[in-house]
Amino acid sequence: MTIQDTMLKHHAIIGEKGVPHDLGFISSIYSPIPFYKDDAKGEDNFALLEESRMRTYNCRDTLVTLMADRRMDSELDEHGVRPTYESDMVMVPVLLRMIRRGILINQSLLYKYRTQLEGELAEVFKDLQACVGDDFNPNSDAQVRDLLFKQCGFSPVMFTKSRQPSVDFDSLIQISELATDDLEPLFTLLIEQRRLSKLLSTYLKEFILDSNGRLHTQYTLHVTPTGRLSSRRPNLQNIPDGLAKD
């Protein structure tokens, strides 16, 4: 039996950034079945669904997968991207073995890095309060916005999805380039606080390890427009050097 993958087929056909490759999106394009993915929305555990509802949901999944696969298979040749898809499929069993094996994490080094960064972050926090005031909390975006845009008079350079002025790392870098010399120490502290917080929350958090101290990340071939390998939950391609042993 030949193994097929609808997500990889769709990525080979349409690899542009931002285009989703999940079955819900694929089925809306390649099948006449009305959208049904919300039928199980909000349930963290499918086992809690009624049997008839779950059976219908799974049958629809199976049907649209088959319908979409047949249509996309012909499009692989129409667009001349079958070699791309076949190259990706060669990688699938390799990546599955890597996921199952997991990555051995140096837990003593992880703890050392985390403790070190927590200490550095505490010092930056103390320096910021000495610079701005004891009530200032750099983790509060609202307080940082008030400081920069109301008290200091800067104009926003970017906005969040909710149309609030952005005060993330990249925004602070751009705003700092407009600052006068007397405000340079403030921006140095704010940017360092954002950098350290990002490291701690994203790359040095409490990972879920198995009994052998291994972390089982997910490797994907259908996320980036270029088709390069990516990693998520967590992203092991961006953790500090030395934490992953193999």
Side-chain angles (χ1 to χ4, degrees):
M1 180 180 67
T2 304
I3 298 175
Q4 303 293 332
D5 191 302
T6 54
M7 297 178 79
L8 290 182
K9 280 187 178 180
H10 191 249
H11 184 267
I13 295 167
I14 307 175
E16 283 81 359
K17 184 177 181 180
V19 177
H21 304 291
D22 59 276
L23 186 58
F25 183 80
I26 291 174
S27 65
S28 67
I29 298 176
Y30 292 98
S31 84
I33 306 298
F35 189 78
Y36 64 93
K37 300 302 281 185
D38 286 343
D39 291 353
K41 191 174 182 179
E43 292 289 354
D44 293 330
N45 187 349
F46 278 6
L48 299 177
L49 291 173
E50 298 176 2
E51 183 179 345
S52 60
R53 184 178 167 193
M54 193 69 258
R55 182 168 58 247
T56 301
Y57 183 90
N58 287 336
C59 286
R60 285 173 175 164
D61 260 358
T62 303
L63 177 60
V64 300
T65 298
L66 179 61
M67 297 174 70
D69 182 74
R70 288 176 174 174
R71 288 189 57 187
M72 286 191 292
D73 197 68
S74 63
E75 287 193 7
L76 289 176
D77 295 319
E78 291 176 16
H79 296 286
V81 292
R82 185 172 294 277
T84 299
Y85 169 68
E86 292 177 346
S87 296
D88 286 342
M89 288 303 295
V90 170
M91 289 294 298
V92 170
V94 177
L95 295 179
L96 284 175
R97 288 196 296 270
M98 291 171 59
I99 292 171
R100 291 186 182 122
R101 175 178 172 80
I103 299 294
L104 186 62
I105 297 297
N106 187 329
Q107 296 181 62
S108 61
L109 190 56
L110 175 64
Y111 177 78
K112 177 182 176 181
Y113 276 160
R114 185 187 300 138
T115 303
Q116 176 183 329
L117 288 185
E118 287 174 343
E120 293 178 12
L121 190 59
E123 287 298 318
V124 171
F125 190 89
K126 186 189 304 181
D127 291 342
L128 271 170
Q129 289 194 324
C131 179
V132 181
D134 292 341
D135 295 332
F136 180 70
N137 179 9
N139 293 314
S140 169
D141 285 349
Q143 290 192 33
V144 176
R145 289 189 188 104
D146 182 78
L147 173 66
L148 296 182
F149 306 125
K150 291 184 179 180
Q151 298 182 41
C152 295
F154 289 102
S155 298
V157 294
M158 290 190 286
F159 291 87
T160 65
K161 292 181 179 180
S162 60
R163 300 307 299 165
Q164 291 289 326
S166 175
V167 287
D168 63 7
F169 183 85
D170 292 334
S171 299
L172 290 177
I173 291 289
Q174 292 188 46
I175 297 172
S176 70
E177 295 174 354
L178 306 173
T180 55
D181 291 344
D182 60 314
L183 290 177
E184 184 177 340
L186 170 63
F187 278 98
T188 298
L189 291 171
L190 285 173
I191 291 170
E192 182 67 358
Q193 187 271 338
R194 285 288 194 265
R195 184 186 73 83
L196 293 173
S197 294
K198 178 71 173 179
L199 279 173
L200 278 170
S201 63
T202 306
Y203 308 124
L204 293 174
K205 59 186 176 183
E206 291 286 350
F207 295 129
I208 299 176
L209 308 177
D210 65 16
S211 58
N212 297 314
R214 291 182 174 272
L215 180 62
H216 299 271
T217 186
Q218 296 181 11
Y219 298 105
T220 59
L221 292 167
H222 63 274
V223 173
T224 64
T226 60
R228 68 166 175 81
L229 183 66
S230 60
S231 169
R232 62 184 182 182
R233 298 180 184 174
N235 184 355
L236 287 187
Q237 294 177 318
N238 288 333
I239 67 170
D241 292 339
L243 287 187
K245 294 183 179 179
D246 64 9

